[in-house]
PDB file of all heavy atoms in Angstrom:
ATOM      1  N   ARG U   1      -3.750   0.616  10.362  1.00 96.00           N
ATOM      2  CA  ARG U   1      -5.194   0.502  10.289  1.00 96.00           C
ATOM      3  C   ARG U   1      -5.883   1.619  11.008  1.00 96.00           C
ATOM      4  O   ARG U   1      -7.118   1.666  11.063  1.00 96.00           O
ATOM      5  CB  ARG U   1      -5.632  -0.866  10.812  1.00 96.00           C
ATOM      6  CG  ARG U   1      -5.179  -2.025   9.937  1.00 96.00           C
ATOM      7  CD  ARG U   1      -5.800  -1.981   8.571  1.00 96.00           C
ATOM      8  NE  ARG U   1      -5.325  -3.033   7.709  1.00 96.00           N
ATOM      9  CZ  ARG U   1      -4.375  -2.856   6.794  1.00 96.00           C
ATOM     10  NH1 ARG U   1      -3.785  -1.684   6.613  1.00 96.00           N
ATOM     11  NH2 ARG U   1      -3.981  -3.879   6.037  1.00 96.00           N
ATOM     12  N   GLY U   2      -5.149   2.530  11.629  1.00 96.00           N
ATOM     13  CA  GLY U   2      -5.770   3.671  12.328  1.00 96.00           C
ATOM     14  C   GLY U   2      -6.133   4.777  11.345  1.00 96.00           C
ATOM     15  O   GLY U   2      -5.829   4.724  10.134  1.00 96.00           O
ATOM     16  N   ALA U   3      -6.837   5.765  11.858  1.00 96.00           N
ATOM     17  CA  ALA U   3      -7.276   6.881  11.022  1.00 96.00           C
ATOM     18  C   ALA U   3      -6.084   7.760  10.630  1.00 96.00           C
ATOM     19  O   ALA U   3      -5.127   7.877  11.386  1.00 96.00           O
ATOM     20  CB  ALA U   3      -8.301   7.716  11.783  1.00 96.00           C
ATOM     21  N   PHE U   4      -6.161   8.346   9.474  1.00 98.00           N
ATOM     22  CA  PHE U   4      -5.144   9.265   8.958  1.00 98.00           C
ATOM     23  C   PHE U   4      -5.589  10.740   9.039  1.00 98.00           C
ATOM     24  O   PHE U   4      -4.776  11.635   8.775  1.00 98.00           O
ATOM     25  CB  PHE U   4      -4.766   8.954   7.526  1.00 98.00           C
ATOM     26  CG  PHE U   4      -4.075   7.622   7.333  1.00 98.00           C
ATOM     27  CD1 PHE U   4      -4.684   6.623   6.560  1.00 98.00           C
ATOM     28  CD2 PHE U   4      -2.842   7.392   7.885  1.00 98.00           C
ATOM     29  CE1 PHE U   4      -4.048   5.413   6.378  1.00 98.00           C
ATOM     30  CE2 PHE U   4      -2.207   6.156   7.701  1.00 98.00           C
ATOM     31  CZ  PHE U   4      -2.800   5.182   6.941  1.00 98.00           C
ATOM     32  N   GLY U   5      -6.844  10.960   9.337  1.00 97.00           N
ATOM     33  CA  GLY U   5      -7.400  12.327   9.264  1.00 97.00           C
ATOM     34  C   GLY U   5      -8.242  12.553   8.022  1.00 97.00           C
ATOM     35  O   GLY U   5      -9.155  13.349   8.036  1.00 97.00           O
ATOM     36  N   LYS U   6      -7.905  11.836   6.969  1.00 98.00           N
ATOM     37  CA  LYS U   6      -8.691  11.774   5.739  1.00 98.00           C
ATOM     38  C   LYS U   6      -8.618  10.334   5.259  1.00 98.00           C
ATOM     39  O   LYS U   6      -7.710   9.581   5.628  1.00 98.00           O
ATOM     40  CB  LYS U   6      -8.150  12.670   4.631  1.00 98.00           C
ATOM     41  CG  LYS U   6      -8.235  14.173   4.895  1.00 98.00           C
ATOM     42  CD  LYS U   6      -9.564  14.746   4.442  1.00 98.00           C
ATOM     43  CE  LYS U   6      -9.573  16.250   4.507  1.00 98.00           C
ATOM     44  NZ  LYS U   6     -10.862  16.847   4.038  1.00 98.00           N
ATOM     45  N   PHE U   7      -9.593   9.920   4.444  1.00 98.00           N
ATOM     46  CA  PHE U   7      -9.539   8.615   3.813  1.00 98.00           C
ATOM     47  C   PHE U   7      -8.579   8.727   2.600  1.00 98.00           C
ATOM     48  O   PHE U   7      -8.780   9.605   1.728  1.00 98.00           O
ATOM     49  CB  PHE U   7     -10.910   8.153   3.392  1.00 98.00           C
ATOM     50  CG  PHE U   7     -10.998   6.685   3.040  1.00 98.00           C
ATOM     51  CD1 PHE U   7     -11.469   5.780   3.959  1.00 98.00           C
ATOM     52  CD2 PHE U   7     -10.568   6.248   1.788  1.00 98.00           C
ATOM     53  CE1 PHE U   7     -11.555   4.404   3.641  1.00 98.00           C
ATOM     54  CE2 PHE U   7     -10.652   4.883   1.483  1.00 98.00           C
ATOM     55  CZ  PHE U   7     -11.135   3.988   2.405  1.00 98.00           C
ATOM     56  N   ILE U   8      -7.573   7.878   2.540  1.00 98.00           N
ATOM     57  CA  ILE U   8      -6.499   8.050   1.535  1.00 98.00           C
ATOM     58  C   ILE U   8      -6.807   7.186   0.304  1.00 98.00           C
ATOM     59  O   ILE U   8      -7.104   5.982   0.408  1.00 98.00           O
ATOM     60  CB  ILE U   8      -5.149   7.606   2.117  1.00 98.00           C
ATOM     61  CG1 ILE U   8      -4.859   8.328   3.439  1.00 98.00           C
ATOM     62  CG2 ILE U   8      -4.027   7.868   1.100  1.00 98.00           C
ATOM     63  CD1 ILE U   8      -4.781   9.853   3.333  1.00 98.00           C
ATOM     64  N   ILE U   9      -6.693   7.796  -0.840  1.00 98.00           N
ATOM     65  CA  ILE U   9      -6.679   7.086  -2.110  1.00 98.00           C
ATOM     66  C   ILE U   9      -5.305   7.233  -2.720  1.00 98.00           C
ATOM     67  O   ILE U   9      -4.774   8.353  -2.858  1.00 98.00           O
ATOM     68  CB  ILE U   9      -7.752   7.661  -3.100  1.00 98.00           C
ATOM     69  CG1 ILE U   9      -9.162   7.416  -2.512  1.00 98.00           C
ATOM     70  CG2 ILE U   9      -7.633   6.999  -4.454  1.00 98.00           C
ATOM     71  CD1 ILE U   9     -10.272   7.982  -3.339  1.00 98.00           C
ATOM     72  N   HIS U  10      -4.680   6.126  -3.144  1.00 98.00           N
ATOM     73  CA  HIS U  10      -3.284   6.137  -3.549  1.00 98.00           C
ATOM     74  C   HIS U  10      -3.024   5.090  -4.624  1.00 98.00           C
ATOM     75  O   HIS U  10      -3.841   4.175  -4.856  1.00 98.00           O
ATOM     76  CB  HIS U  10      -2.373   5.912  -2.365  1.00 98.00           C
ATOM     77  CG  HIS U  10      -2.486   4.531  -1.791  1.00 98.00           C
ATOM     78  ND1 HIS U  10      -1.634   3.526  -2.119  1.00 98.00           N
ATOM     79  CD2 HIS U  10      -3.366   3.994  -0.904  1.00 98.00           C
ATOM     80  CE1 HIS U  10      -1.971   2.392  -1.462  1.00 98.00           C
ATOM     81  NE2 HIS U  10      -3.038   2.658  -0.725  1.00 98.00           N
ATOM     82  N   GLY U  11      -1.855   5.216  -5.224  1.00 98.00           N
ATOM     83  CA  GLY U  11      -1.305   4.237  -6.157  1.00 98.00           C
ATOM     84  C   GLY U  11      -0.025   3.676  -5.612  1.00 98.00           C
ATOM     85  O   GLY U  11       0.081   3.329  -4.463  1.00 98.00           O
ATOM     86  N   HIS U  12       1.009   3.619  -6.479  1.00 98.00           N
ATOM     87  CA  HIS U  12       2.406   3.352  -6.133  1.00 98.00           C
ATOM     88  C   HIS U  12       2.721   1.889  -5.840  1.00 98.00           C
ATOM     89  O   HIS U  12       3.755   1.391  -6.326  1.00 98.00           O
ATOM     90  CB  HIS U  12       2.816   4.205  -4.922  1.00 98.00           C
ATOM     91  CG  HIS U  12       4.242   4.078  -4.566  1.00 98.00           C
ATOM     92  ND1 HIS U  12       5.272   4.388  -5.417  1.00 98.00           N
ATOM     93  CD2 HIS U  12       4.848   3.720  -3.366  1.00 98.00           C
ATOM     94  CE1 HIS U  12       6.448   4.232  -4.802  1.00 98.00           C
ATOM     95  NE2 HIS U  12       6.231   3.787  -3.584  1.00 98.00           N
ATOM     96  N   THR U  13       1.930   1.182  -5.057  1.00 98.00           N
ATOM     97  CA  THR U  13       2.184  -0.206  -4.753  1.00 98.00           C
ATOM     98  C   THR U  13       1.255  -1.102  -5.530  1.00 98.00           C
ATOM     99  O   THR U  13       0.051  -1.179  -5.281  1.00 98.00           O
ATOM    100  CB  THR U  13       1.931  -0.456  -3.219  1.00 98.00           C
ATOM    101  OG1 THR U  13       2.812   0.409  -2.481  1.00 98.00           O
ATOM    102  CG2 THR U  13       2.234  -1.894  -2.882  1.00 98.00           C
ATOM    103  N   PRO U  14       1.836  -1.782  -6.567  1.00 98.00           N
ATOM    104  CA  PRO U  14       0.971  -2.566  -7.469  1.00 98.00           C
ATOM    105  C   PRO U  14       0.412  -3.787  -6.751  1.00 98.00           C
ATOM    106  O   PRO U  14       1.097  -4.500  -6.016  1.00 98.00           O
ATOM    107  CB  PRO U  14       1.907  -2.961  -8.625  1.00 98.00           C
ATOM    108  CG  PRO U  14       3.268  -2.852  -8.030  1.00 98.00           C
ATOM    109  CD  PRO U  14       3.255  -1.791  -6.981  1.00 98.00           C
ATOM    110  N   MET U  15      -0.866  -4.056  -7.038  1.00 97.00           N
ATOM    111  CA  MET U  15      -1.572  -5.229  -6.513  1.00 97.00           C
ATOM    112  C   MET U  15      -2.338  -5.824  -7.679  1.00 97.00           C
ATOM    113  O   MET U  15      -2.611  -5.187  -8.677  1.00 97.00           O
ATOM    114  CB  MET U  15      -2.516  -4.842  -5.381  1.00 97.00           C
ATOM    115  CG  MET U  15      -1.922  -4.052  -4.255  1.00 97.00           C
ATOM    116  SD  MET U  15      -0.873  -5.076  -3.189  1.00 97.00           S
ATOM    117  CE  MET U  15      -2.093  -5.974  -2.270  1.00 97.00           C
ATOM    118  N   SER U  16      -2.777  -7.076  -7.505  1.00 96.00           N
ATOM    119  CA  SER U  16      -3.508  -7.762  -8.553  1.00 96.00           C
ATOM    120  C   SER U  16      -4.930  -7.203  -8.653  1.00 96.00           C
ATOM    121  O   SER U  16      -5.592  -7.313  -9.701  1.00 96.00           O
ATOM    122  CB  SER U  16      -3.575  -9.252  -8.321  1.00 96.00           C
ATOM    123  OG  SER U  16      -4.166  -9.566  -7.077  1.00 96.00           O
ATOM    124  N   ASP U  17      -5.417  -6.569  -7.575  1.00 97.00           N
ATOM    125  CA  ASP U  17      -6.737  -6.000  -7.572  1.00 97.00           C
ATOM    126  C   ASP U  17      -6.722  -4.818  -6.627  1.00 97.00           C
ATOM    127  O   ASP U  17      -5.747  -4.615  -5.904  1.00 97.00           O
ATOM    128  CB  ASP U  17      -7.823  -7.008  -7.137  1.00 97.00           C
ATOM    129  CG  ASP U  17      -9.192  -6.678  -7.688  1.00 97.00           C
ATOM    130  OD1 ASP U  17      -9.381  -5.543  -8.182  1.00 97.00           O
ATOM    131  OD2 ASP U  17     -10.095  -7.532  -7.600  1.00 97.00           O
ATOM    132  N   VAL U  18      -7.800  -4.015  -6.622  1.00 98.00           N
ATOM    133  CA  VAL U  18      -7.830  -2.873  -5.725  1.00 98.00           C
ATOM    134  C   VAL U  18      -7.658  -3.317  -4.275  1.00 98.00           C
ATOM    135  O   VAL U  18      -8.133  -4.405  -3.881  1.00 98.00           O
ATOM    136  CB  VAL U  18      -9.134  -2.091  -5.906  1.00 98.00           C
ATOM    137  CG1 VAL U  18      -9.194  -1.421  -7.257  1.00 98.00           C
ATOM    138  CG2 VAL U  18     -10.372  -2.968  -5.693  1.00 98.00           C
ATOM    139  N   ASP U  19      -6.935  -2.525  -3.517  1.00 98.00           N
ATOM    140  CA  ASP U  19      -6.617  -2.836  -2.124  1.00 98.00           C
ATOM    141  C   ASP U  19      -7.514  -1.968  -1.224  1.00 98.00           C
ATOM    142  O   ASP U  19      -7.150  -0.831  -0.945  1.00 98.00           O
ATOM    143  CB  ASP U  19      -5.125  -2.574  -1.883  1.00 98.00           C
ATOM    144  CG  ASP U  19      -4.698  -2.948  -0.489  1.00 98.00           C
ATOM    145  OD1 ASP U  19      -5.450  -3.653   0.214  1.00 98.00           O
ATOM    146  OD2 ASP U  19      -3.560  -2.546  -0.088  1.00 98.00           O
ATOM    147  N   VAL U  20      -8.643  -2.512  -0.771  1.00 98.00           N
ATOM    148  CA  VAL U  20      -9.593  -1.788   0.004  1.00 98.00           C
ATOM    149  C   VAL U  20      -9.363  -2.030   1.488  1.00 98.00           C
ATOM    150  O   VAL U  20      -9.467  -3.186   1.939  1.00 98.00           O
ATOM    151  CB  VAL U  20     -11.050  -2.132  -0.383  1.00 98.00           C
ATOM    152  CG1 VAL U  20     -12.038  -1.333   0.448  1.00 98.00           C
ATOM    153  CG2 VAL U  20     -11.283  -1.897  -1.837  1.00 98.00           C
ATOM    154  N   GLN U  21      -9.057  -0.971   2.262  1.00 97.00           N
ATOM    155  CA  GLN U  21      -8.833  -1.084   3.671  1.00 97.00           C
ATOM    156  C   GLN U  21      -9.739  -0.066   4.396  1.00 97.00           C
ATOM    157  O   GLN U  21     -10.320   0.793   3.766  1.00 97.00           O
ATOM    158  CB  GLN U  21      -7.358  -0.808   3.988  1.00 97.00           C
ATOM    159  CG  GLN U  21      -6.365  -1.754   3.352  1.00 97.00           C
ATOM    160  CD  GLN U  21      -6.533  -3.166   3.755  1.00 97.00           C
ATOM    161  OE1 GLN U  21      -7.028  -3.467   4.876  1.00 97.00           O
ATOM    162  NE2 GLN U  21      -6.128  -4.151   2.913  1.00 97.00           N
ATOM    163  N   PRO U  22      -9.872  -0.192   5.725  1.00 96.00           N
ATOM    164  CA  PRO U  22     -10.759   0.731   6.432  1.00 96.00           C
ATOM    165  C   PRO U  22     -10.381   2.209   6.361  1.00 96.00           C
ATOM    166  O   PRO U  22     -11.224   3.072   6.582  1.00 96.00           O
ATOM    167  CB  PRO U  22     -10.700   0.224   7.891  1.00 96.00           C
ATOM    168  CG  PRO U  22     -10.171  -1.163   7.832  1.00 96.00           C
ATOM    169  CD  PRO U  22      -9.261  -1.187   6.592  1.00 96.00           C
ATOM    170  N   ASN U  23      -9.103   2.476   6.031  1.00 97.00           N
ATOM    171  CA  ASN U  23      -8.618   3.866   6.059  1.00 97.00           C
ATOM    172  C   ASN U  23      -8.012   4.303   4.730  1.00 97.00           C
ATOM    173  O   ASN U  23      -7.558   5.457   4.623  1.00 97.00           O
ATOM    174  CB  ASN U  23      -7.613   4.031   7.172  1.00 97.00           C
ATOM    175  CG  ASN U  23      -6.481   3.009   7.080  1.00 97.00           C
ATOM    176  OD1 ASN U  23      -6.443   2.176   6.171  1.00 97.00           O
ATOM    177  ND2 ASN U  23      -5.568   3.061   8.051  1.00 97.00           N
ATOM    178  N   ARG U  24      -7.959   3.411   3.719  1.00 98.00           N
ATOM    179  CA  ARG U  24      -7.340   3.760   2.448  1.00 98.00           C
ATOM    180  C   ARG U  24      -7.772   2.786   1.394  1.00 98.00           C
ATOM    181  O   ARG U  24      -8.301   1.700   1.696  1.00 98.00           O
ATOM    182  CB  ARG U  24      -5.798   3.681   2.595  1.00 98.00           C
ATOM    183  CG  ARG U  24      -5.296   2.262   2.876  1.00 98.00           C
ATOM    184  CD  ARG U  24      -3.773   2.187   2.809  1.00 98.00           C
ATOM    185  NE  ARG U  24      -3.344   0.781   3.016  1.00 98.00           N
ATOM    186  CZ  ARG U  24      -3.270  -0.116   2.085  1.00 98.00           C
ATOM    187  NH1 ARG U  24      -3.576   0.152   0.841  1.00 98.00           N
ATOM    188  NH2 ARG U  24      -2.868  -1.365   2.379  1.00 98.00           N
ATOM    189  N   ILE U  25      -7.576   3.205   0.128  1.00 98.00           N
ATOM    190  CA  ILE U  25      -7.776   2.305  -1.025  1.00 98.00           C
ATOM    191  C   ILE U  25      -6.626   2.505  -1.992  1.00 98.00           C
ATOM    192  O   ILE U  25      -6.340   3.638  -2.390  1.00 98.00           O
ATOM    193  CB  ILE U  25      -9.108   2.578  -1.742  1.00 98.00           C
ATOM    194  CG1 ILE U  25     -10.287   2.250  -0.839  1.00 98.00           C
ATOM    195  CG2 ILE U  25      -9.204   1.772  -3.019  1.00 98.00           C
ATOM    196  CD1 ILE U  25     -11.639   2.541  -1.432  1.00 98.00           C
ATOM    197  N   GLY U  26      -5.932   1.433  -2.323  1.00 98.00           N
ATOM    198  CA  GLY U  26      -4.879   1.504  -3.335  1.00 98.00           C
ATOM    199  C   GLY U  26      -5.422   0.994  -4.685  1.00 98.00           C
ATOM    200  O   GLY U  26      -6.063  -0.015  -4.780  1.00 98.00           O
ATOM    201  N   ILE U  27      -5.151   1.817  -5.708  1.00 98.00           N
ATOM    202  CA  ILE U  27      -5.724   1.482  -7.041  1.00 98.00           C
ATOM    203  C   ILE U  27      -4.644   1.297  -8.097  1.00 98.00           C
ATOM    204  O   ILE U  27      -4.910   1.415  -9.303  1.00 98.00           O
ATOM    205  CB  ILE U  27      -6.776   2.518  -7.490  1.00 98.00           C
ATOM    206  CG1 ILE U  27      -6.183   3.932  -7.574  1.00 98.00           C
ATOM    207  CG2 ILE U  27      -7.971   2.483  -6.599  1.00 98.00           C
ATOM    208  CD1 ILE U  27      -7.118   4.887  -8.294  1.00 98.00           C
ATOM    209  N   ASP U  28      -3.392   1.023  -7.694  1.00 98.00           N
ATOM    210  CA  ASP U  28      -2.374   0.601  -8.680  1.00 98.00           C
ATOM    211  C   ASP U  28      -2.570  -0.903  -8.874  1.00 98.00           C
ATOM    212  O   ASP U  28      -2.181  -1.708  -8.030  1.00 98.00           O
ATOM    213  CB  ASP U  28      -0.983   0.897  -8.169  1.00 98.00           C
ATOM    214  CG  ASP U  28       0.105   0.491  -9.169  1.00 98.00           C
ATOM    215  OD1 ASP U  28      -0.235  -0.144 -10.205  1.00 98.00           O
ATOM    216  OD2 ASP U  28       1.305   0.787  -8.921  1.00 98.00           O
ATOM    217  N   THR U  29      -3.166  -1.267 -10.001  1.00 98.00           N
ATOM    218  CA  THR U  29      -3.436  -2.675 -10.279  1.00 98.00           C
ATOM    219  C   THR U  29      -2.557  -3.235 -11.340  1.00 98.00           C
ATOM    220  O   THR U  29      -2.916  -4.125 -12.094  1.00 98.00           O
ATOM    221  CB  THR U  29      -4.932  -2.889 -10.617  1.00 98.00           C
ATOM    222  OG1 THR U  29      -5.325  -1.922 -11.604  1.00 98.00           O
ATOM    223  CG2 THR U  29      -5.821  -2.736  -9.393  1.00 98.00           C
ATOM    224  N   GLY U  30      -1.291  -2.715 -11.419  1.00 98.00           N
ATOM    225  CA  GLY U  30      -0.245  -3.351 -12.202  1.00 98.00           C
ATOM    226  C   GLY U  30      -0.286  -3.150 -13.691  1.00 98.00           C
ATOM    227  O   GLY U  30       0.157  -4.037 -14.410  1.00 98.00           O
ATOM    228  N   ALA U  31      -0.761  -1.992 -14.137  1.00 98.00           N
ATOM    229  CA  ALA U  31      -0.733  -1.740 -15.607  1.00 98.00           C
ATOM    230  C   ALA U  31       0.656  -1.868 -16.156  1.00 98.00           C
ATOM    231  O   ALA U  31       0.825  -2.315 -17.318  1.00 98.00           O
ATOM    232  CB  ALA U  31      -1.316  -0.347 -15.860  1.00 98.00           C
ATOM    233  N   ALA U  32       1.657  -1.528 -15.363  1.00 94.00           N
ATOM    234  CA  ALA U  32       3.037  -1.607 -15.864  1.00 94.00           C
ATOM    235  C   ALA U  32       3.531  -3.018 -16.050  1.00 94.00           C
ATOM    236  O   ALA U  32       4.535  -3.277 -16.742  1.00 94.00           O
ATOM    237  CB  ALA U  32       3.969  -0.879 -14.865  1.00 94.00           C
ATOM    238  N   TYR U  33       2.830  -4.016 -15.467  1.00 95.00           N
ATOM    239  CA  TYR U  33       3.272  -5.380 -15.476  1.00 95.00           C
ATOM    240  C   TYR U  33       2.294  -6.310 -16.185  1.00 95.00           C
ATOM    241  O   TYR U  33       2.204  -7.490 -15.849  1.00 95.00           O
ATOM    242  CB  TYR U  33       3.497  -5.868 -14.032  1.00 95.00           C
ATOM    243  CG  TYR U  33       4.472  -4.987 -13.269  1.00 95.00           C
ATOM    244  CD1 TYR U  33       4.024  -4.053 -12.370  1.00 95.00           C
ATOM    245  CD2 TYR U  33       5.856  -5.117 -13.470  1.00 95.00           C
ATOM    246  CE1 TYR U  33       4.911  -3.242 -11.674  1.00 95.00           C
ATOM    247  CE2 TYR U  33       6.741  -4.282 -12.796  1.00 95.00           C
ATOM    248  CZ  TYR U  33       6.259  -3.373 -11.879  1.00 95.00           C
ATOM    249  OH  TYR U  33       7.144  -2.572 -11.232  1.00 95.00           O
ATOM    250  N   GLY U  34       1.526  -5.759 -17.111  1.00 94.00           N
ATOM    251  CA  GLY U  34       0.559  -6.568 -17.800  1.00 94.00           C
ATOM    252  C   GLY U  34      -0.739  -6.729 -17.064  1.00 94.00           C
ATOM    253  O   GLY U  34      -1.590  -7.565 -17.461  1.00 94.00           O
ATOM    254  N   GLY U  35      -0.932  -5.964 -15.998  1.00 96.00           N
ATOM    255  CA  GLY U  35      -2.179  -6.027 -15.254  1.00 96.00           C
ATOM    256  C   GLY U  35      -3.210  -5.034 -15.712  1.00 96.00           C
ATOM    257  O   GLY U  35      -3.196  -4.629 -16.905  1.00 96.00           O
ATOM    258  N   LYS U  36      -4.072  -4.596 -14.840  1.00 98.00           N
ATOM    259  CA  LYS U  36      -5.167  -3.685 -15.165  1.00 98.00           C
ATOM    260  C   LYS U  36      -4.806  -2.243 -14.874  1.00 98.00           C
ATOM    261  O   LYS U  36      -3.934  -1.968 -14.052  1.00 98.00           O
ATOM    262  CB  LYS U  36      -6.405  -4.063 -14.384  1.00 98.00           C
ATOM    263  CG  LYS U  36      -6.911  -5.448 -14.643  1.00 98.00           C
ATOM    264  CD  LYS U  36      -8.099  -5.792 -13.726  1.00 98.00           C
ATOM    265  CE  LYS U  36      -7.697  -5.910 -12.264  1.00 98.00           C
ATOM    266  NZ  LYS U  36      -8.831  -6.350 -11.434  1.00 98.00           N
ATOM    267  N   LEU U  37      -5.470  -1.335 -15.519  1.00 98.00           N
ATOM    268  CA  LEU U  37      -5.474   0.080 -15.151  1.00 98.00           C
ATOM    269  C   LEU U  37      -6.851   0.356 -14.543  1.00 98.00           C
ATOM    270  O   LEU U  37      -7.859   0.025 -15.135  1.00 98.00           O
ATOM    271  CB  LEU U  37      -5.225   0.973 -16.361  1.00 98.00           C
ATOM    272  CG  LEU U  37      -5.188   2.493 -16.068  1.00 98.00           C
ATOM    273  CD1 LEU U  37      -4.055   2.828 -15.141  1.00 98.00           C
ATOM    274  CD2 LEU U  37      -5.051   3.272 -17.405  1.00 98.00           C
ATOM    275  N   THR U  38      -6.853   0.956 -13.384  1.00 98.00           N
ATOM    276  CA  THR U  38      -8.071   1.073 -12.592  1.00 98.00           C
ATOM    277  C   THR U  38      -8.387   2.532 -12.231  1.00 98.00           C
ATOM    278  O   THR U  38      -7.467   3.326 -11.959  1.00 98.00           O
ATOM    279  CB  THR U  38      -7.980   0.228 -11.309  1.00 98.00           C
ATOM    280  OG1 THR U  38      -7.918  -1.167 -11.676  1.00 98.00           O
ATOM    281  CG2 THR U  38      -9.155   0.459 -10.389  1.00 98.00           C
ATOM    282  N   ALA U  39      -9.659   2.835 -12.215  1.00 99.00           N
ATOM    283  CA  ALA U  39     -10.151   4.114 -11.697  1.00 99.00           C
ATOM    284  C   ALA U  39     -11.152   3.838 -10.583  1.00 99.00           C
ATOM    285  O   ALA U  39     -11.881   2.837 -10.624  1.00 99.00           O
ATOM    286  CB  ALA U  39     -10.855   4.928 -12.804  1.00 99.00           C
TER     287      ALA U  39
END
């Protein structure tokens, strides 16, 4: 949860919805598993 030096936008780890954290946002929402594709 600490700072990385930049705010990170990433994929790789599928979630049911966008994963918004204080230092990063994950936008792999499981298109490979019948979920959503997100931008």
Side-chain angles (χ1 to χ4, degrees):
R1 293 297 177 261
F4 293 117
K6 293 272 188 180
F7 194 99
I8 308 299
I9 296 178
H10 67 96
H12 184 59
T13 300
M15 306 287 285
S16 59
D17 205 348
V18 292
D19 183 14
V20 180
Q21 301 297 335
N23 53 1
R24 65 172 182 85
I25 294 178
I27 59 168
D28 180 353
T29 48
Y33 304 101
K36 300 177 289 187
L37 181 62
T38 294

